[in-house]
Amino acid sequence: MPVQSRGEPLAGFSPYVLLTRPEETHRIIRAEPPVRLVREESGFTYFLVSGHAEARRALRDPRLSNDPRRLGHASGAAVAYSPMANDDPPAHTRLRRLVSRGFTRRRIAALEPRIERTVAELLDAVTPAGHADLIADFAFPLPVLVISELLGIPTADRQAFRTWAARTLSVETGPRTRDERSRRLRAYFGGLVEERRAGVRHDVPPDEQPDLLSALLVAQEGGSLSDEELVGLAMLVLVAGHETTTNLIGNGLLTLFAHPDQFRELREEPALLPGAVEELLRFEGSAGQSSLRVAVEDVEIGGTLIPKGSVVNVGLSLANRDPGAFGGDQGTAPGPDRFDVRRAPNPHLAFGHGIHFCLGAPLARALASCAFAALFARLPGLALDVPPAELRWRQISILCGLTRLPVSFRPEDRPDIRPEESSAE
């Protein structure tokens, strides 16, 4: 018989604490049932799903709604800002089908040369110095520049777009509030949609259009995609794609610095990189949770009855350290708290599961793989340049990442210095 959690909620848990004090937090949560009522310091109370099998079930259960209006503190504007991500079927099904027609693996593969050029240009700017902040100088601008190409931002607008996007995505205060900065970027996308509509070729299918915005305009022809939804989808691609990639690179590097044996093994065997990216996705935990769900009826998961109207938080990073799914009691398999670039299989849930599985996962993997490969090749002696305790974290929605990542490395020789001059004593 399911046990309904009406006792005292577990206090003190939050995604931020999970990222900043992972060992302690994982130990506490593992001693609890895989579905447990918790209360954050703010007083926010919800059912936390921490088991891997239970998380997979919750993420595909249609009785757990993704619509933030059901939370009681979100307006319809929140859904307009993130269409598809915040929708349930049938609206989600309609939008996902339309976006999938343009956001294809073929399009991501065609972007790879641009990704490589962008990575090289960003590293060109820092390699002579021998030190850098790899968030500000690399991990933050990289996805903005690549997503500009993906969406088809005109070349003449890209510097301004990069500035607007950076201000919108930043947690820093400024003359405009974050909402004001977001509205400015939405207005830009609205104007760009109108300009692009006049020149789009309607005889070319979505997956052959030159950019994603054009692909969505062609998909819009049937009347099943409003302008507001189209702009919202462009914003979603920028915001979700940017923060996820920035954190994967920044948090991933910090994970490698903390595991020098694995870092050395990866640099010595570059063929391990694809598997290492998957292990970083599992281990580093920047996407600590899914979007919040609301139970539209009573739901039983993992022996716990979740009453109708309850808020549910699927702890992705907790599920990714579940001993039942990631070793610990499976013979020679590495345990869940061991970072292992050779781990296989690796059924992590970093990109979610079910109908809301991250559509941008192939782009995030491509960006991270290219970024890490170039960093390892061009920054010899790459190391953290400050004590780990001095690093600070920021939380944006369900994602957590570093505010800065100071590193040092052996500087690349400047081309204007002759070898005999650089070696002279």
Side-chain angles (χ1 to χ4, degrees):
M1 171 179 284
V3 177
Q4 189 165 344
S5 297
R6 292 191 180 275
E8 190 67 22
L10 179 68
F13 173 83
S14 74
Y16 184 83
V17 170
L18 177 62
L19 190 64
T20 55
R21 300 203 304 269
E23 293 80 7
E24 173 190 350
T25 308
H26 281 288
R27 185 175 63 254
I28 293 171
I29 295 298
R30 281 179 193 157
E32 300 291 333
V35 181
R36 177 71 159 86
L37 195 65
V38 302
R39 177 178 293 137
E40 295 189 2
E41 290 183 2
S42 65
F44 184 42
T45 303
Y46 51 82
F47 283 88
L48 176 66
V49 182
S50 58
H52 189 271
E54 292 79 11
R56 285 174 58 90
R57 179 177 170 187
L59 290 169
R60 64 175 184 264
D61 195 318
R63 297 170 296 176
L64 298 180
S65 170
N66 230 41
D67 189 337
R69 291 172 295 188
R70 296 181 184 272
L71 292 171
H73 58 72
S75 67
V79 177
Y81 181 79
S82 297
M84 189 174 71
N86 292 140
D87 280 324
D88 297 325
H92 173 271
T93 307
R94 169 178 60 85
L95 293 172
R96 179 103 180 187
R97 182 181 300 118
L98 290 171
V99 175
S100 297
R101 291 171 62 191
F103 202 168
T104 61
R105 291 185 180 275
R106 173 181 175 180
R107 187 175 301 281
I108 302 307
L111 267 179
E112 289 182 0
R114 175 59 179 166
I115 294 173
E116 292 173 356
R117 288 197 303 273
T118 304
V119 166
E121 289 165 1
L122 290 171
L123 290 181
D124 284 345
V126 301
T127 51
H131 58 84
D133 173 1
L134 284 184
I135 300 298
D137 297 332
F138 186 76
F140 193 94
L142 173 61
V144 171
L145 294 169
V146 172
I147 291 170
S148 297
E149 184 83 10
L150 172 68
L151 290 171
I153 305 300
T155 303
D157 292 353
R158 287 189 184 179
Q159 186 55 50
F161 178 79
R162 176 180 173 179
T163 300
W164 297 336
R167 289 173 178 169
T168 301
L169 295 162
S170 174
V171 296
E172 300 297 328
T173 58
R176 291 185 174 89
T177 67
R178 185 169 179 141
D179 284 346
E180 289 172 334
R181 287 175 278 175
S182 176
R183 284 195 293 272
R184 180 174 181 175
L185 196 57
R186 285 178 62 84
Y188 170 78
F189 275 125
L192 184 60
V193 164
E194 290 305 312
E195 291 178 14
R196 190 64 50 80
R197 179 177 281 121
V200 71
R201 289 188 54 186
H202 297 281
D203 58 327
V204 177
D207 67 334
E208 296 179 16
Q209 290 289 335
D211 54 73
L212 183 58
L213 204 56
S214 297
L216 291 174
L217 280 166
V218 171
Q220 190 187 36
E221 284 186 334
S224 57
L225 183 67
S226 69
D227 280 359
E228 183 181 16
E229 288 173 329
L230 199 158
V231 169
L233 288 169
M235 289 288 290
L236 176 64
V237 169
L238 171 63
V239 174
H242 178 274
E243 194 65 22
T244 301
T245 304
T246 297
N247 292 342
L248 175 55
I249 295 171
N251 299 3
L253 280 170
L254 184 60
T255 299
L256 290 169
F257 293 148
H259 298 84
D261 58 331
Q262 295 293 300
F263 194 8
R264 182 173 56 254
E265 193 168 347
L266 181 57
R267 298 188 76 153
E268 291 173 353
E269 296 187 53
L272 294 174
L273 185 56
V277 169
E278 300 305 311
E279 179 68 343
L280 287 169
L281 284 162
R282 181 193 75 86
F283 192 88
E284 57 89 12
S286 61
Q289 64 186 59
S290 69
S291 299
L292 295 175
R293 265 75 168 168
V294 179
V296 299
E297 59 183 81
D298 290 354
V299 180
E300 182 271 317
I301 299 177
T304 296
L305 181 62
I306 301 172
K308 178 181 178 180
S310 299
V311 178
V312 178
N313 175 358
V314 182
L316 301 178
S317 57
L318 291 166
N320 285 341
R321 299 279 195 100
D322 184 348
F326 296 98
D329 58 356
Q330 300 178 22
T332 59
D337 296 325
R338 178 181 168 189
F339 175 68
D340 189 343
V341 297
R342 296 180 183 271
R343 182 183 296 272
N346 194 342
H348 67 76
L349 300 176
F351 290 124
H353 180 66
I355 64 171
H356 286 284
F357 182 84
C358 179
L359 195 64
L363 177 60
R365 286 180 167 119
L367 280 164
S369 295
C370 184
F372 287 127
L375 287 166
F376 301 161
R378 295 194 57 186
L379 304 184
L382 179 62
L384 187 63
D385 205 26
V386 297
E390 292 185 11
L391 296 173
R392 296 292 178 265
W393 300 86
R394 71 190 190 285
Q395 183 172 353
I396 300 178
S397 184
I398 62 174
L399 302 171
C400 289
L402 293 162
T403 59
R404 53 194 293 266
L405 185 63
V407 299
S408 60
F409 46 87
R410 292 195 297 277
E412 202 169 66
D413 289 339
R414 295 180 183 273
D416 58 337
I417 300 177
R418 294 193 302 272
E420 60 271 19
E421 292 176 340
S422 63
S423 61
E425 305 216 350

